[in-house]
């Protein structure tokens, strides 16, 4: 089994199955349950509360937040942070009984979208404590004393953060190295290690820390529990555990505030821990469940926070882009009258509507607490982050030369100081954060195809005898022959008013048909590649991409139907049809690529490049290896010390 999928196996083993079904898991199996996507609009009282709070936040942003200054100075003023604390913006997801707002995921997403439309840096700073800071793990897994002690603090006065990533692990959450060892008194854990890219780390009072604890496996009442062992003696394993870490603890050092291409105002830390003491009462939940907790709370960031911030950024760019297209005259003709730009704007409009529809769908699914939405959350994150980057780059093209110029430079000569170039730079972070696209795509496939992969696992391990392999193959054939035949049979659509709408019905029929075709193609690919299917990331990327577009198509038409029915907005169908037309082209292309092998030759070229087969590609320049840049920095430091 590939190392990547082994990592996912460890991650999956750490997760407990949630109750309910996943739409995308059914779609990849050729049997999508469309009723899972039926969500009710916000209750009137909930929507009214969200509307009123959004008005407060908008007033605060307009009068107290200088987004351009945050970009110039790479710093959010303390007065802004304190003002948002007074408004309760850091406690939106915390229940009222613990001093928070008690908002739904939908209202939380709406507020983040609004903040991001003014300053995505500020939105990220507000989102991190509520998505992956100490509030969510304590709410979900902490005990009552922790809730009463810490939740009012992080709701009203204390910034919190999340420390999972390490220099050598990145997205490989299963292999963190930071260790927390129970001391000889049994009252504290001693933590040693380092954490990287800890957003809000330099300004946080508390951090959710994920570390490995040497522990012994014990059986109690028929279930396995992990008990930490003093000084690590006699441990069966080093198991992931979540802690509340006080940033004032001796031995903790913020070594660096990391700087990035964009997102200049975020506070992001490289942290080292040397014999840092954490009281045993600061363990969140159970010892050994830290990876499960970390991956569970990441769903909030993936499904709610990142899509909301991306949506706010894209919406921020929309009106200025329209204004530019209408006002800019080239060769005696407005840009708005040129077909190339009309096509570009139409594509942008359709995808902006689709991003909003998919984000809203996932927020509502999260509010229902009925289904396992880990796959949908990951897909929403990939879809919104990737299409936001494309959207903003298209906007930058429409702005032309001034789209490449900074807002501050434009303002000096009286031009509108809209920073599209900043948005383009900032957007790249949301593709990377909370699960990079290239990691989430195989994650989606592993989760979506888990039934198939688990069913065939025995054949892939190579541990069976020839006789047992034959028996297993016969057993699989008995299952998959009728399964495969069913993939040619059309399934009835749900009998509900939403799916009775003509445009919704057409798209649903298309998705149902493509789902069965995708399931057949996946099956043939698994038969062909067998164990090596787990290495076929080109196929995994295409499988995820098809599912992503099919889900977004359904979200878009259902959102359009809802807006038509409740608000009388009939023009939204133009947006839905524009997006669906482009999505169908991508689906057709991806499915056709299942049978092409052009990527094989490209991958071979890449493999040879890694082995140094093409030295001419580095000829004719001042040749330097990556390590040379480290040496240059060290040499520069020596020169500075001499002077």
């Amino acid at each position: 089994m590939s190392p990547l999928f082994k990592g996912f196996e460890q991650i999956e083993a750490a997760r407990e199955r949630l109750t309910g079904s996943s739409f995308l898991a059914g779609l990849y199996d050729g049997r999508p349950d469309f009723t899972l996507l039926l969500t009710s609009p916000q209750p009137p009282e909930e929507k009214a509360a969200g509307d009123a709070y959004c008005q407060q936040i908008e007033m605060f942003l307009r009068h107290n937040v200088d987004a351009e200054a945050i970009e110039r100075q790479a710093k959010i003023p303390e007065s802004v942070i304190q003002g948002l604390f007074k408004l309760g913006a850091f406690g939106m997801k915390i229940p009222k009984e613990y001093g928070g707002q008690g908002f739904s995921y939908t209202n939380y997403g709406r507020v983040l979208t609004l903040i991001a439309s003014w300053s995505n840096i500020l939105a990220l700073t507000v989102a991190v404590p509520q998505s992956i800071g100490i509030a969510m793990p304590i709410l979900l897994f902490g005990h009552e004393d922790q809730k009463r002690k810490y939740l009012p603090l992080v709701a009203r006065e204390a910034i919190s953060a999340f420390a999972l990533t390490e220099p050598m692990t990145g997205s490989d959450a299963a292999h963190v190295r930071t260790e927390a060892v129970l001391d000889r008194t049994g009252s504290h854990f001693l933590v040693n290690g380092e954490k990287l890219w800890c957003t809000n780390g330099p300004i946080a009072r508390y951090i959710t820390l994920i570390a490995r604890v040497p522990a012994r496996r014990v059986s109690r009442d028929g279930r396995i529990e992990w008990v930490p062992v003093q000084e690590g003696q006699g441990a069966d394993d080093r198991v992931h555990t979540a802690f509340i870490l006080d940033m004032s603890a001796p031995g903790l050092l913020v070594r660096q505030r990391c700087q990035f291409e964009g997102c200049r105002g975020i506070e992001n830390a490289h942290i080292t821990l040397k014999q840092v003491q954490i009281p045993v009462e600061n363990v969140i939940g159970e010892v050994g469940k830290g990876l499960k907790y970390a991956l569970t709370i990441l769903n909030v960031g993936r499904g709610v926070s990142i899509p909301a911030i991306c949506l706010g950024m894209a919406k921020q760019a929309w009106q200025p882009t329209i204004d530019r297209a209408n006002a800019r005259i080239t060769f005696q003709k407005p840009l708005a009258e040129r077909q190339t730009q009309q096509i570009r704007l139409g594509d942008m409009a359709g995808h902006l509507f689709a991003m909003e529809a998919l984000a809203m769908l996932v927020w509502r699914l999260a509010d229902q607490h009925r289904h396992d939405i880990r796959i949908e959350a990951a897909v929403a994150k990939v879809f919104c982050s990737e299409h936001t980057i494309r959207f903003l780059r298209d906007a930058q093209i429409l702005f032309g030369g001034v789209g490449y110029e900074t807002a501050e430079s434009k303002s000096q000569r009286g031009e509108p100081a809209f920073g599209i170039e900043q948005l383009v730079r900032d957007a790249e972070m949301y593709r990377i954060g909370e699960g990079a696209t290239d990691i989430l795509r195989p994650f989606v496939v592993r989760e979506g195809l888990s039934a198939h992969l688990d069913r065939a696992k025995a054949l892939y391990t190579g541990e069976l005898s020839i006789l047992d392999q034959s028996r297993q193959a016969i057993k699989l054939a008995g299952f998959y022959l009728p399964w495969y035949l069913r993939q040619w049979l059309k399934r009835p659509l749900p009998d509900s008013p939403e799916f009775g709408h003509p445009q919704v019905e057409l798209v649903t029929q298309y998705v149902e048909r493509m789902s069965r075709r995708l399931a057949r193609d996946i099956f043939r690919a698994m038969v062909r590649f067998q164990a090596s299917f787990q290495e076929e990331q080109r196929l995994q990327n295409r499988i995820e991409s098809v599912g992503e577009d099919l889900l977004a198509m359904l979200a878009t038409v259902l959102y359009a139907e809802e807006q038509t029915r409740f608000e009388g907005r009939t023009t939204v169908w133009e947006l839905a049809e524009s997006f669906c037309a482009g999505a169908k082209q991508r689906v057709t292309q991806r499915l056709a690529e299942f049978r092409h092998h052009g990527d094989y030759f490209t991958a071979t070229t890449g493999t040879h490049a890694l082995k140094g087969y093409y030295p001419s590609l580095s000829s004719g320049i001042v040749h330097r290896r990556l390590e040379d840049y480290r040496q240059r920095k060290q040499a520069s430091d020596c020169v500075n010390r001499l002077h």
Side-chain angles (χ1 to χ4, degrees):
M1 185 176 290
S2 74
L4 181 63
F5 268 87
K6 281 184 178 178
F8 290 154
E9 290 268 307
Q10 288 180 287
I11 288 172
E12 177 65 9
R15 303 280 304 265
E16 290 181 357
R17 291 282 182 180
L18 302 180
T19 57
S21 304
S22 162
F23 172 80
L24 276 169
L27 183 138
Y28 288 133
D29 197 40
R31 48 177 184 81
D33 183 353
F34 296 104
T35 61
L36 295 177
L37 302 183
L38 293 178
T39 61
S40 301
Q42 278 189 285
E45 64 279 5
E46 180 186 299
K47 186 176 185 305
D51 289 342
Y53 192 70
C54 282
Q55 289 177 3
Q56 291 183 54
I57 293 294
E58 180 175 352
M59 188 73 67
F60 177 82
L61 294 172
R62 288 186 179 275
H63 291 91
N64 298 278
V65 181
D66 186 341
E68 289 74 24
I70 291 173
E71 167 68 8
R72 288 193 307 272
Q73 299 164 11
K75 187 75 176 177
I76 298 173
E78 181 63 21
S79 61
V80 171
I81 299 295
Q82 293 306 316
L84 288 171
F85 267 123
K86 289 179 181 177
L87 287 172
F90 285 93
M92 286 187 280
K93 282 298 299 155
I94 294 175
K96 292 182 179 179
E97 64 183 291
Y98 300 113
Q101 302 278 6
F103 281 173
S104 64
Y105 284 113
T106 302
N107 272 344
Y108 172 61
R110 290 174 60 202
V111 176
L112 282 184
T113 301
L114 175 67
I115 298 174
S117 73
W118 191 263
S119 168
N120 73 89
I121 309 305
L122 188 58
L124 181 62
T125 301
V126 169
V128 165
Q130 301 176 82
S131 298
I132 54 179
I134 69 169
M136 191 56 63
I138 288 177
L139 269 173
L140 293 176
F141 310 111
H143 54 71
E144 189 61 27
D145 288 345
Q146 290 174 339
K147 293 177 184 179
R148 298 203 176 278
K149 178 178 180 179
Y150 291 105
L151 293 183
L153 288 174
V154 295
R156 294 295 176 182
E157 62 180 85
I159 296 285
S160 69
F162 182 59
L164 173 63
T165 300
E166 298 178 359
M168 298 303 294
T169 59
S171 296
D172 188 4
H175 292 99
V176 298
R177 299 181 179 184
T178 297
E179 188 171 66
V181 181
L182 189 65
D183 70 2
R184 66 177 60 188
T185 69
S187 62
H188 289 79
F189 289 88
L190 297 177
V191 185
N192 291 278
E194 62 180 322
K195 295 293 182 178
L196 184 62
W197 300 328
C198 181
T199 302
N200 282 5
I203 59 173
R205 190 186 303 181
Y206 303 107
I207 280 185
T208 304
L209 175 73
I210 306 298
R212 306 288 285 269
V213 171
R216 186 178 68 254
R217 183 189 292 107
V218 299
S219 178
R220 289 177 181 167
D221 300 324
R223 62 189 294 266
I224 298 298
E225 294 183 5
W226 291 95
V227 177
V229 294
Q230 294 179 353
E231 300 185 315
Q233 300 299 314
D236 295 324
D237 201 353
R238 296 162 59 248
V239 294
H240 295 77
T241 303
F243 297 90
I244 302 167
L245 172 61
D246 190 326
M247 289 292 288
S248 65
L252 188 153
L253 178 64
V254 177
R255 298 188 64 87
Q256 175 193 12
R257 181 190 173 196
C258 304
Q259 304 296 319
F260 301 101
E261 172 190 6
C263 297
R264 286 172 43 81
I266 64 170
E267 302 277 352
N268 190 286
H270 173 208
I271 297 170
T272 57
L273 305 104
K274 186 174 182 180
Q275 293 294 94
V276 174
Q277 291 189 0
I278 300 181
V280 293
E281 57 266 27
N282 280 24
V283 171
I284 301 175
E286 298 180 36
V287 171
K289 295 286 185 72
L291 185 57
K292 166 188 176 292
Y293 300 160
L295 295 169
T296 299
I297 63 176
L298 278 170
N299 269 338
V300 179
R302 289 173 181 167
V304 184
S305 300
I306 299 296
I309 294 173
C310 289
L311 184 60
M313 294 171 71
K315 281 180 171 281
Q316 178 186 356
W318 176 243
Q319 189 59 54
T321 303
I322 292 294
D323 294 342
R324 174 69 176 179
N326 284 321
R328 176 63 170 162
I329 306 296
T330 60
F331 304 102
Q332 293 79 50
K333 197 173 185 179
L335 279 179
E337 294 182 14
R338 300 192 180 278
Q339 190 179 62
T340 298
Q341 308 312 330
Q342 291 170 348
I343 293 171
R344 191 185 308 279
L345 284 162
D347 184 70
M348 291 170 65
H351 280 82
L352 181 55
F353 185 72
M355 282 191 281
E356 183 169 28
L358 182 56
M360 188 65 70
L361 172 64
V362 172
W363 300 347
R364 291 180 180 177
L365 289 173
D367 279 327
Q368 289 180 347
H369 301 286
R370 292 193 295 118
H371 308 302
D372 185 343
I373 64 164
R374 74 183 72 163
I375 310 178
E376 287 76 14
V379 165
K381 192 268 181 186
V382 171
F383 183 87
C384 289
S385 62
E386 293 291 333
H387 285 292
T388 293
I389 291 171
R390 179 184 167 197
F391 180 97
L392 293 171
R393 285 178 176 163
D394 279 341
Q396 189 176 37
I397 290 171
L398 277 154
F399 272 89
V402 296
Y404 192 63
E405 189 176 9
T406 66
E408 185 176 15
S409 178
K410 286 180 283 196
S411 69
Q412 290 178 9
R413 63 174 185 275
E415 291 266 2
F418 173 57
I420 183 63
E421 61 83 28
Q422 179 200 336
L423 290 176
V424 170
R425 286 187 288 107
D426 288 357
E428 192 67 34
M429 201 285 294
Y430 301 102
R431 168 190 277 165
I432 299 168
E434 310 219 16
T437 294
D438 286 349
I439 293 295
L440 286 183
R441 280 183 167 148
F443 168 81
V444 166
V445 173
R446 174 63 182 91
E447 294 289 283
L449 302 183
S450 60
H452 292 300
L453 295 172
D454 292 346
R455 203 174 284 122
K457 187 188 301 182
L459 282 180
Y460 291 170
T461 60
E463 298 174 356
L464 298 179
S465 66
I466 295 177
L467 179 60
D468 287 338
Q469 287 182 23
S470 300
R471 290 171 176 166
Q472 185 68 18
I474 293 171
K475 181 180 178 181
L476 289 174
F479 174 84
Y480 276 109
L481 180 59
W483 177 91
Y484 188 78
L485 293 175
R486 285 197 299 270
Q487 302 309 319
W488 296 91
L489 301 176
K490 180 180 178 180
R491 289 181 171 84
L493 301 184
D495 183 18
S496 63
E498 293 88 346
F499 291 101
H501 189 284
Q503 280 115 319
V504 177
E505 184 178 16
L506 284 174
V507 169
T508 308
Q509 289 173 344
Y510 173 81
V511 171
E512 193 276 331
R513 186 168 66 253
M514 290 301 103
S515 170
R516 289 184 285 111
R517 178 179 169 181
L518 177 61
R520 297 195 300 266
D521 285 348
I522 290 171
F523 174 74
R524 286 193 288 264
M526 293 181 70
V527 170
R528 178 187 173 196
F529 292 104
Q530 298 184 38
S532 65
F533 175 81
Q534 297 173 110
E535 302 285 356
E536 287 293 319
Q537 291 185 13
R538 65 183 182 89
L539 281 176
Q540 296 162 21
N541 290 342
R542 285 165 185 160
I543 291 168
E544 187 281 334
S545 295
V546 172
E548 181 184 319
D549 269 326
L550 294 178
L551 175 62
M553 289 174 67
L554 285 168
T556 302
V557 294
L558 287 170
Y559 195 46
E561 189 277 334
E562 178 185 303
Q563 291 202 9
T564 301
R565 180 157 40 104
F566 289 103
E567 301 177 33
R569 298 180 181 176
T570 57
T571 57
V572 293
W573 286 108
E574 296 176 4
L575 300 171
E577 290 170 2
S578 173
F579 170 75
C580 289
K584 283 183 179 180
Q585 291 178 356
R586 291 193 294 268
V587 168
T588 300
Q589 179 182 347
R590 294 289 181 266
L591 290 174
E593 288 170 350
F594 267 67
R595 297 173 175 81
H596 298 314
H597 312 296
D599 287 346
Y600 171 79
F601 300 103
T602 306
T604 300
T605 302
T607 301
H608 289 170
L610 290 166
K611 294 179 180 179
Y613 281 23
Y614 314 118
S616 64
L617 296 179
S618 295
S619 65
I621 64 169
V622 179
H623 189 268
R624 288 171 290 181
R625 304 183 68 86
L626 179 61
E627 194 64 23
D628 294 334
Y629 291 88
R630 189 201 308 268
Q631 293 167 356
R632 185 180 68 175
K633 174 68 166 60
Q634 291 170 346
S636 175
D637 290 344
C638 289
V639 170
N640 290 335
R641 284 195 293 269
L642 289 173
H643 285 80

